[in-house]
Amino acid sequence: MQLSVIILNYNVRYFLEQCVLSAQAALQHIDGEIIVIDNNSSDDSCQMMKTRFPHIKLIENNENTGFPKGNNIGVAQAKGEYICILNPDTVVAEDTFTKILNSQLLTPNFQLGIIGCKLVDGTGKFLPESKRGIPTPWVAFTKIFGLYKIFPKIQLFNRYYAQNLSEHQTGEVDVLVGAFMFLKRELYNQLGGFDENCFMYSDDIDLSYRALQNGKTNYYFSKTTVIHYKGESTVKDGTYMKRFQEAMEYFYSKHFKKSAFFSLFMKSGSYLFAFLKKSKSVVSNRNIDSYILISQNELLKERLEKLLGKNVSRLYINFKNELPSLLKGINSNVEVIFDQNDLSFSTIISIMECCKSERVTFKIIPNQSNFMIGSNSSNDRGEVILIND
């Protein structure tokens, strides 16, 4: 078997459904499998998986074991030569896995560690954490105090988000994000998987760093784009701040020489960083002025108009030409709704990237589903709207 896709879920039932649909489509021409691990969700995630995807392996944990252990449990049952650690609040394109499997990075010339890819949020905006440097004390300092924004082209200050590479440029990086990590199963096992002493948050940094220590090279692969709604995975409350701080302190104590000054700096720095993340976590109550549906289904248009209480414009045949011109220079809030019954995920992702704007938001109606889903900000929990028949 070529590839095992590992998806760890906790209480994000609708995002999980869309993620599995996209992964399933991306594995259509690959000898692969999907393994979903549920960390004792209180929603109906497991029931949804059993009803809609009975052929997909589901592991039901009876407690929330955390990100590292949950993924390790899944990988232990994987059969693929390669594995992809995939967040449930992601959407992969139909050709994402094929492009990586066919890339030069998998040839013997490369001492392959972990591959990450281009991630965008629910508005099509590039997520800079797609590629990162090792957060040494200095690099962490440049992040916490925003020096990477002030001096984006100076290497001394731009390493946190690996700004030596543009978002469109494939190349070597130090750290990749746990939302999408592609590597050989043999290497994952060699490294001992994710460190289970860290409940979450620094686990992807730690695994990336240990791959480097093992003589491997990590790569950012720019030729495919994946949506990562991001804010849906975690509610950024007091518990988040505490766990984030503990995670960063654990990573530094594990890999760097400690001193009293270093400990004080990292404790205050990680607390400030966590506080800033929490302060950004606000639900965006955005008033939508108009809706555009990309679908060939006229009845769906009528249903959405009843549901939303506003007129919905429908495009289909020439939407790739019409939509950009409609959105150009707009001064009102527009939401574009994609009917994935008629569109591929890769088409949806490419349109989101090319039409991104402060005024434009997006929702997707997944194939044969009764809801639409999206997120207006990487700091939001995301939004699910049920569509009645």
Side-chain angles (χ1 to χ4, degrees):
M1 184 177 287
Q2 265 187 305
L3 177 62
S4 297
V5 180
I6 312 298
I7 303 172
L8 176 66
N9 175 71
Y10 180 66
N11 283 336
V12 286
R13 171 252 188 273
Y14 292 101
F15 284 86
L16 173 65
E17 182 173 345
Q18 180 174 238
C19 177
V20 173
L21 282 169
S22 73
Q24 197 170 237
L27 287 173
Q28 196 169 1
H29 303 295
I30 296 171
D31 181 15
E33 64 177 351
I34 298 170
I35 298 175
V36 173
I37 310 96
D38 185 81
N39 261 354
N40 198 30
S41 293
S42 57
D43 62 12
D44 66 336
S45 292
C46 291
Q47 187 55 51
M48 179 277 295
M49 286 298 304
K50 291 171 185 175
T51 303
R52 177 138 203 201
F53 307 104
H55 56 288
I56 287 178
K57 188 173 190 62
L58 173 65
I59 301 170
E60 297 181 67
N61 291 334
N62 55 16
E63 62 178 328
N64 185 356
T65 58
F67 183 88
K69 187 171 184 178
N71 277 292
N72 290 346
I73 288 169
V75 175
Q77 299 198 31
K79 300 173 184 174
E81 179 184 0
Y82 294 92
I83 59 167
C84 181
I85 304 296
L86 189 65
N87 264 29
D89 59 345
T90 59
V91 179
V92 298
E94 282 80 0
D95 58 0
T96 290
F97 300 139
T98 303
K99 280 185 174 178
I100 294 175
L101 287 167
N102 292 337
S103 74
Q104 287 187 325
L105 299 179
L106 270 61
T107 61
N109 303 338
F110 294 82
Q111 286 294 311
L112 181 62
I114 304 169
I115 297 175
C117 69
K118 184 178 179 183
L119 301 173
V120 298
D121 67 13
T123 66
K125 182 181 176 184
F126 175 68
L127 291 171
E129 62 267 25
S130 301
K131 49 185 181 63
R132 292 177 289 177
I134 300 165
T136 60
W138 169 251
V139 171
F141 181 87
T142 66
K143 163 63 179 173
I144 291 166
F145 293 97
L147 298 179
Y148 72 99
K149 292 180 181 177
I150 303 171
F151 308 105
K153 295 185 179 179
I154 300 178
Q155 188 177 359
L156 182 64
F157 303 104
N158 70 6
R159 284 178 285 170
Y160 188 87
Y161 286 130
Q163 288 163 284
N164 59 304
L165 288 178
S166 79
E167 64 180 90
H168 308 295
Q169 185 180 2
T170 297
E172 297 181 17
V173 294
D174 292 327
V175 174
L176 297 157
V177 65
F180 185 101
M181 297 181 111
F182 187 103
L183 67 159
K184 277 201 164 185
R185 180 164 58 97
E186 180 184 14
L187 175 61
Y188 188 94
N189 291 330
Q190 208 171 52
L191 297 173
F194 286 110
D195 186 342
E196 295 182 12
N197 289 312
C198 181
F199 189 83
M200 62 196 312
Y201 300 125
S202 68
D203 33 57
D204 50 2
I205 301 173
D206 177 69
L207 189 68
S208 299
Y209 189 60
R210 285 188 285 122
L212 298 178
Q213 289 179 316
N214 205 51
K216 304 298 183 181
T217 305
N218 299 328
Y219 292 92
Y220 166 71
F221 184 72
S222 65
K223 305 298 183 186
T224 187
T225 303
V226 168
I227 302 171
H228 181 206
Y229 291 107
K230 188 182 174 182
E232 181 60 26
S233 299
T234 309
V235 180
K236 294 177 176 60
D237 55 10
T239 302
Y240 165 87
M241 288 180 65
K242 182 174 183 291
R243 285 179 176 166
F244 182 86
Q245 185 181 334
E246 289 172 349
M248 295 310 297
E249 287 176 358
Y250 176 76
F251 174 76
Y252 284 108
S253 65
K254 178 178 177 180
H255 292 292
F256 295 97
K257 186 177 179 181
K258 293 189 73 175
S259 67
F261 172 77
F262 174 82
S263 297
L264 179 63
F265 168 73
M266 287 321 305
K267 187 163 187 172
S268 59
S270 60
Y271 181 85
L272 176 62
F273 194 34
F275 177 78
L276 290 173
K277 276 183 170 285
K278 179 179 182 286
S279 66
K280 288 180 182 178
S281 181
V282 292
V283 176
S284 177
N285 293 318
R286 189 184 187 95
N287 291 319
I288 306 299
D289 298 305
S290 58
Y291 293 88
I292 300 174
L293 171 66
I294 312 297
S295 173
Q296 63 179 341
N297 189 340
E298 179 66 28
L299 289 176
L300 176 60
K301 171 185 178 297
E302 294 172 8
R303 285 164 58 199
L304 289 177
E305 285 180 332
K306 278 187 182 179
L307 177 68
L308 302 169
K310 290 189 179 179
N311 288 335
V312 176
S313 302
R314 186 174 67 88
L315 303 176
Y316 189 63
I317 296 173
N318 297 315
F319 76 90
K320 287 186 181 180
N321 297 322
E322 293 174 358
L323 186 61
S325 60
L326 276 175
L327 298 177
K328 190 176 181 181
I330 57 167
N331 54 14
S332 58
N333 293 331
V334 178
E335 184 149 281
V336 178
I337 303 170
F338 299 105
D339 181 4
Q340 203 262 316
N341 292 280
D342 298 327
L343 304 168
S344 67
F345 284 113
S346 58
T347 297
I348 291 169
I349 293 168
S350 66
I351 293 294
M352 286 174 61
E353 285 191 277
C354 82
C355 294
K356 62 180 178 286
S357 162
E358 293 298 319
R359 291 288 196 176
V360 181
T361 55
F362 302 98
K363 293 287 189 298
I364 300 173
I365 302 174
N367 186 28
Q368 296 181 17
S369 298
N370 66 342
F371 60 90
M372 59 182 183
I373 192 167
S375 175
N376 297 345
S377 164
S378 57
N379 296 307
D380 279 354
R381 282 298 311 266
E383 186 180 18
V384 175
I385 300 174
L386 296 179
I387 304 170
N388 297 321
D389 293 328

